[in-house]
Amino acid sequence: MTDAVTIDTGVPGISVRLSPTERFTFGSFVDCNMATAWVGDRFRIFPGKYGEDPVWGQANELKHADGATVTEAFSRRPDEFVEPTMPPNTPPGEPGLHGAVWFETVYQDPSDGTGRTLYALYHNENYPETLPYDPVTGEGLRADDWPPGLTGPESVQAVPRIGIMKSVDGGESWANRGILLEDRDERMIRLPVNRNNCFPGGVGDPSAVASGDHLYVFYGEYAYPEAWDARTWSRETEAAAQCVSVARVPLAALDEPTGAARRWNGTAFDAPWDGVGQPITSLRIPASEGGGAVSQGDELYYWGPSVSWNEHLEAWVMLLGRVDGSFWVGDSLFLSINPHRDLGEGDNAQQWSTPVRIVHRPGHTLWYPSLQPTDSPDDLAAKRTCLRLGREARLFFKDMAGDEHVYISDYRVEFERT
C-alpha cells in the first residue's frame, strides 16, 4: 500500500485511516504481543521469551528497555536491553514454573503512584516432557498419540496456558503468581485427527484490559469442548468451541490467580478457569468463508488478539491475526470494535464487530499486530500505552517472508468517529 486508505469498520460512524510511513524496524527479538507501560517517566517495553523449550532450546530473550519517548524505547539496540531476574524452571513433577514464557500484557496497579507494581500475563508453553501427566491431580500432559510440531515430524506440538507474574520494582525482577487459565489433557486433540503442526489444544496469546473491578483476558482457545476421542471427534463440535474467547479475574485476586478466573459460558462469566467456555461468536469465521477446526490445518481462524481502549473513539479496539494454513501461516491483519465501555455489563464483553482486514501481504506471514502510542505531545503527556490510545497510533507487527523475520511499523493509524 502506497497511499492512505480509509477503512469502514462496520460500526456506524467509526472508521480507521491507514497512512504509509517510512519503515521503522525494531532491532531486537519479538515473538509475542508487545507489552508496554510507563514506569515513572520512562516508557518501557517487554519483548522476548524466557525458559525451557525442548523443541526450540533454552531462551533468555525476555528483556526490557525504556526511553523518555516511545521512539527512544523502540530504538534501543539489543545490547541496551536489560535481562530481569526471573523465577527458575523447576524439574518435571515438582511445583513451580514449567516451560517457556512470553509476556503478552503488563497491567499496572493504579494504587502504586510510582508505576512500579506490575502484573504480567504470560503465555506459557509446555510439552509432555516438561509437564508430564499426574493421574492424581489431573495436571500435565500424556505423551500418547502426540502430534508433530512446527519443525516437522521430529518435533512435537506445545500446549499453551496463561499465567501471571508480579514485579514491584518496575520489571527488574519477577515472582510467579501461578496459572490463570488452562485446558486439561483430556481435551487435547491428538493423532490421527490433528494435522495443524501447531497446538493440540490449550489457551494462549492473551491480551488483558481492566474494566471496573476485573481484568478481562482475551485469548486464543484451541482445545476440544469435551473429553476428546478420535472415534467420536466432530469437526463442527471442535470449530464451535474455538477462536478468540474471553475470561475475567477480579483485580483483587491477581496475587493468587489460580482458580479465581471465570470464562464466559454463553450467558455469563460462570465457567471455571480450567473448564469449557464459549468463544466470541462474531470472531468465529463461518464455514462458508473457510472457517473451521484448528486441528485440521487448512481451515481459517483468528488468533492473537491485541486489545486497547481508544479514548478518542470511546470504544475498545482489537487487532487480530488469521491462520490460513498449517504451520501458523497467514498473510493478513484484522480489526474489530466494541463500543461498550463497561465490559462487565450484560454480554458487552462479547459485542465485537465482524473483523475487517486492514493489512494484506500475499506471500508473507503476519503475526502479533500491536497499536502503540506516538511521540505527540498529547500521547506523551497522557502517558498512553498499547492498552490506552488516542486518535492516532503506530501499527507494529511481525512480518515474515522467506528467511527475513522483522518486527516493523509501516503505518500510522487514525481513528475517526463521525
Side-chain angles (χ1 to χ4, degrees):
M1 185 174 72
T2 57
D3 299 317
V5 296
T6 298
I7 300 168
D8 183 356
T9 66
V11 177
I14 295 180
S15 62
V16 296
R17 184 171 177 82
L18 260 67
S19 300
T21 61
E22 182 180 354
R23 171 167 290 189
F24 179 93
T25 302
F26 184 66
S28 196
F29 177 80
V30 177
D31 191 41
C32 56
N33 277 333
M34 179 65 80
T36 60
W38 283 91
V39 179
D41 61 355
R42 307 291 288 179
F43 183 79
R44 184 159 288 183
I45 58 179
F46 300 86
K49 172 187 178 183
Y50 164 81
E52 61 184 352
D53 189 324
V55 172
W56 301 99
Q58 181 74 24
N60 289 289
E61 295 294 334
L62 200 162
K63 303 177 182 181
H64 64 78
D66 56 36
T69 67
V70 178
T71 300
E72 184 178 338
F74 275 96
S75 298
R76 293 297 185 191
R77 302 185 310 271
D79 62 353
E80 295 180 291
F81 279 73
V82 176
E83 187 174 330
T85 300
M86 297 287 288
N89 283 125
T90 55
E94 295 185 12
L97 180 66
H98 300 281
V101 300
W102 296 252
F103 286 177
E104 304 274 0
T105 293
V106 170
Y107 167 74
Q108 287 184 284
D109 184 347
S111 66
D112 181 357
T114 70
R116 296 175 67 80
T117 300
L118 310 175
Y119 292 91
L121 269 77
Y122 63 83
H123 173 102
N124 174 218
E125 292 187 5
N126 276 285
Y127 306 82
E129 179 180 340
T130 61
L131 195 67
Y133 185 72
D134 183 341
V136 175
T137 64
E139 175 82 5
L141 304 166
R142 292 171 293 178
D144 50 303
D145 299 323
W146 207 251
L150 285 172
T151 63
E154 71 282 359
S155 66
V156 294
Q157 293 183 22
V159 176
R161 55 183 184 172
I162 300 166
I164 292 181
M165 289 192 190
K166 182 180 182 180
S167 174
V168 295
D169 53 16
E172 301 297 331
S173 61
W174 295 89
N176 190 27
R177 305 310 306 172
I179 298 301
L180 179 71
L181 297 167
E182 73 175 346
D183 290 340
R184 296 293 184 170
D185 175 81
E186 66 174 7
R187 294 174 55 206
M188 299 299 110
I189 303 164
R190 294 168 151 84
L191 295 173
V193 168
N194 188 305
R195 51 190 178 87
N196 67 14
N197 298 101
C198 299
F199 295 151
V203 294
D205 308 298
S207 180
V209 292
S211 179
D213 57 1
H214 285 82
L215 196 66
Y216 289 79
V217 184
F218 297 89
Y219 59 93
E221 172 65 78
Y222 307 108
Y224 205 64
E226 57 193 52
W228 180 82
D229 188 314
R231 296 166 296 182
T232 58
W233 170 77
S234 160
R235 174 185 280 100
E236 292 74 21
T237 299
E238 179 187 334
Q242 293 172 331
C243 193
V244 175
S245 298
V246 58
R248 71 179 188 180
V249 58
L251 295 174
L254 295 182
D255 283 317
E256 300 294 337
T258 303
R262 292 293 179 269
R263 304 185 188 202
W264 182 262
N265 70 356
T267 57
F269 286 101
D270 281 340
W273 66 286
D274 59 351
V276 179
Q278 186 175 103
I280 299 170
T281 302
S282 61
L283 304 183
R284 290 180 53 226
I285 301 173
S288 60
E289 298 174 14
V294 169
S295 70
Q296 296 308 284
D298 58 359
E299 299 178 0
L300 309 182
Y301 56 93
Y302 295 117
W303 77 287
S306 178
V307 180
S308 57
W309 173 253
N310 191 281
E311 295 177 329
H312 176 69
L313 296 179
E314 295 191 328
W316 299 98
V317 177
M318 179 187 293
L319 299 185
L320 297 149
R322 189 182 70 187
V323 173
D324 300 339
S326 60
F327 296 96
W328 226 267
V329 300
D331 62 10
S332 300
L333 302 176
F334 295 81
L335 179 143
S336 176
I337 300 289
N338 186 328
H340 303 290
R341 179 188 293 268
D342 184 357
L343 295 176
E345 181 179 348
D347 65 352
N348 283 357
Q350 303 291 302
Q351 296 303 311
W352 293 88
S353 62
T354 301
V356 295
R357 184 155 60 186
I358 58 172
V359 178
H360 183 210
R361 293 188 171 173
H364 293 234
T365 293
L366 308 183
W367 289 356
Y368 309 124
S370 172
L371 293 173
Q372 299 292 343
T374 71
D375 283 340
S376 71
D378 183 50
D379 278 1
L380 294 178
K383 291 189 173 180
R384 293 193 170 109
T385 71
C386 62
L387 301 179
R388 184 172 58 87
L389 295 159
R391 180 173 179 174
E392 293 191 14
R394 289 299 300 260
L395 171 62
F396 281 84
F397 54 89
K398 191 168 184 176
D399 187 329
M400 295 170 285
D403 294 331
E404 185 180 37
H405 294 187
V406 291
Y407 189 73
I408 56 174
S409 176
D410 285 343
Y411 303 108
R412 183 178 78 253
V413 182
E414 298 173 79
F415 294 91
E416 295 292 344
R417 180 185 282 278
T418 58

